[in-house]
C-alpha cells in the first residue's frame, strides 16, 4: 500500500558476493547488531513487504490509528486500535518465489518491488518461523533431487513457487509446490526427505502453473502427501482450509477481530444473519451459536466446499451456504424472499463491495450491518453510500492484522436509521 513507502528505511544494504549483506554502511552495521525484535530486517528496502521498521510498535500503531481516524472518523467515533502483544512472525501463509543465481544455484525469496528479480530471503520478521525454515529446506534439497527452478526468460525448469500454510493452534502444515508441470520426478522421495527434516508437515500438494501471470496458483492440483488441507481452530470452532481458500493470515488477531465484530452485532440468539463474502464460513460459523439462522455467501467454490465441511465438523444445523457473487445474491434475495435479515456481516476483498450489493443491502434493510474491511479507503467509499441511504455509522475500530505493513483492518457498526421496515 502506498502509504507504507514514506516510512520505510531509506538506507541501502551492500551485499557481498554470497548475498549475505555483511559489508554494510556504518549506521546500518550498528543497527544490525540488534535482534529482529529490535526491528531489524536487512532486506526491507528491496523486499518492500514491510514498513516502519525504524519505529516502535506503539508509533506504528498510532500511525494506523490516525489513518483509520482520518478515513472512518468522519462517520463515527473510533475506538483505540487493537494491537498485537508480539507483533512478529504472525503470517500463517508464506509464499516464496524460486529462481536461481547466475551460477545456477537455487534462490528463494520475494520479487524485488516493481520487478521480477528475486531478493533472497533467509529470515523474515513477519513470517511464521517454521514456514520460513521449510522453504529454505526445500531450496537446499533441490540440487540433490536435480530439480531445476523455473526461469521466466527461457520457460525452462520446474519449481516456480512454494506456499506454506500453518495451523496456529493445530500445528498442521501444508506445503504447496507450484510447478510448471504436474510431472515431478521422485516426488515421493522428495516428500520423504522433506518430512525427515520437518515431520510437522501434514500435507503436500503439487500445483501446476505454466502461465506467465501474477497468480501464484494454477488450476490443477494433486495431493502427493496427506489429506490435501489443514485444519485449525478459531474462537473454539474447527476449520478446514484448502490451498485455494481465503483464510485470515494472522490467527491471533483474527480471533480478536471476530470477537469484536460479533460483539458489535449484539446478538440475542433470535436473529437471522447474513455472512457475506464468507470465505470458509468462519464468521457465520462462530456467530451461529448466538443466532437463529445464518445465511452465508461466497464466490469461490473451493472455499464454500471447505465451509460446508466446516459446518459438519462443528455439528452446526442452522447455516445455509450459497456459491455466488455476493452482489447478485443480495439482489435476488432482496427481490425473492420475504425473510427478514436482522444482521449483515460483510467482509469484502480490498476492492470493497459494489453498488449491486450495497443497494440490495439497503433494500433488505437489516437493523444492523457490521462491515469488516482490510482497506479503509474502499470502506470509506462504501460507508458514504450506506450513510446516504438510511444507515448511521455508530462506532468503529481498527485491528492490526498486518503489523509492519501499511495495511490495516477495520470494523464499523451501522444501524438502520428508520427502525420501522
Ligand atoms: N470473511 C472471510 C473471508 C474474507 S476475504 C474471512 O474472514 O475469512 C473476502 C472473501 O470474499 C474471499 O473469500 C473471496 O473469495 C470472497 N469474494 C471476493 N469477491 C466476491 C464476490 N464478488 N462475491 C462473493 N464473495 C467474494
Amino acid at each position: 500500500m502506498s502509504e507504507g513507502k514514506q516510512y520505510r528505511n531509506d538506507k541501502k544494504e551492500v551485499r557481498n558476493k554470497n548475498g549475505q549483506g555483511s559489508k554494510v554502511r556504518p549506521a546500518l552495521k550498528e543497527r544490525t547488531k540488534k535482534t529482529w525484535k529490535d526491528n531489524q530486517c536487512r532486506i526491507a528496502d528491496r523486499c518492500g513487504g514491510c514498513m516502519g521498521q525504524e519505529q516502535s510498535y506503539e508509533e506504528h500503531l498510532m500511525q494506523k490509528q490516525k489513518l483509520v481516524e482520518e478515513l472512518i472518523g468522519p462517520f463515527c467515533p473510533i475506538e483505540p486500535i487493537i494491537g498485537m502483544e508480539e507483533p512478529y512472525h504472525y503470517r500463517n501463509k508464506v509464499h516464496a518465489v524460486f529462481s536461481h543465481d547466475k551460477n545456477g544455484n537455487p534462490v528463494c525469496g520475494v520479487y524485488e518491488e516493481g520487478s521480477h528479480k528475486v531478493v533472497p530471503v533467509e529470515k523474515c520478521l513477519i513470517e511464521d518461523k517454521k514456514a520460513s525454515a521449510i522453504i529454505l529446506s526445500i531450496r537446499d534439497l533441490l540440487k540433490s533431487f536435480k530439480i531445476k527452478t523455473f526461469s521466466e526468460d527461457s520457460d525452462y525448469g520446474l519449481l516456480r513457487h512454494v506456499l506454506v500454510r500453518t495451523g496456529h493452534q493445530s500445528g498442521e502444515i501444508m506445503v504447496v509446490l507450484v510447478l510448471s508441470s504436474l510431472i515431478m520426478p521422485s516426488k515421493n522421495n522428495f516428500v520423504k526427505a522433506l518430512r525427515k527434516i520437518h515431520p510437522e508437515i501434514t500435507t503436500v500438494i503439487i500445483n501446476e502453473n505454466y502461465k506467465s501471470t501474477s497468480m501464484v496458483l494454477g488450476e490443477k492440483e494433486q495431493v502427493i502427501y496427506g489429506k490435501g488441507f489443514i485444519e485449525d481452530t478459531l474462537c473454539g470452532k474447527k476449520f478446514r482450509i484448502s490451498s485455494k481458500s481465503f483464510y485470515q493470515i494472522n490467527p491471533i488477531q483474527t480471533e480478536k477481530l471476530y470477537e469484536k465484530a460479533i460483539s458489535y452485532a449484539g446478538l440475542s440468539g433470535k436473529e437471522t444473519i447474513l455472512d457475506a463474502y464468507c470465505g470458509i464460513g468462519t464468521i457465520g460459523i462462530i456467530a451461529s451459536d448466538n443466532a437463529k439462522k445464518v445465511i452465508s455467501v461466497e464466490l469461490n467454490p473451493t472455499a464454500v466446499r471447505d465451509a460446508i465441511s466446516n459446518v459438519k465438523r462443528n455439528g452446526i444445523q442452522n447455516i445455509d451456504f450459497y456459491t455466488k457473487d455476493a452482489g447478485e445474491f443480495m439482489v435476488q434475495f432482496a427481490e425473492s424472499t420475504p425473510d427478514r435479515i436482522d444482521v449483515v456481516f460483510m467482509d469484502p476483498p480490498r476492492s470493497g463491495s459494489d453498488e449491486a450489493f450495497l443497494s440490495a443491502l439497503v433494500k433488505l434493510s437489516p437493523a444492523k450491518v457490521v462491515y469488516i474491511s482490510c482497506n479503509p479507503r474502499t470502506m470509506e467509499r462504501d460507508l458514504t453510500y450506506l450513510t446516504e441511504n438510511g444507515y448511521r455509522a455508530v462506532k468503529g475500530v481498527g485491528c492490526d492484522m498486518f503489523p509492519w505493513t501499511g495495511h490495516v483492518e477495520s470494523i464499523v457498526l451501522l444501524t438502520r436509521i428508520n427502525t420501522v421496515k
Side-chain angles (χ1 to χ4, degrees), residues 246-248 258 275 277-279 282-283 297-300 324-327 347-349:
F246 176 89
Y247 187 61
Q248 301 283 357
Y258 289 169
D275 179 12
Y277 310 92
C278 74
T282 43
I283 297 172
V297 59
E298 160 66 45
L299 190 60
N300 176 355
K324 228 179 166 49
D325 169 83
D347 184 11

Side-chain angles (χ1 to χ4, degrees), residues 142 145 147 158-159 177 179 181-188 190-191 204-206 222 224:
L142 293 180
F145 280 86
I147 296 172
L158 188 65
L159 182 63
L177 305 168
L179 310 173
S181 153
L182 279 187
I183 301 163
M184 180 184 184
S186 312
K187 58 187 177 218
N188 294 336
F190 186 83
V191 169
V204 182
I205 296 166
I206 52 176
Q222 189 187 334
I224 59 170

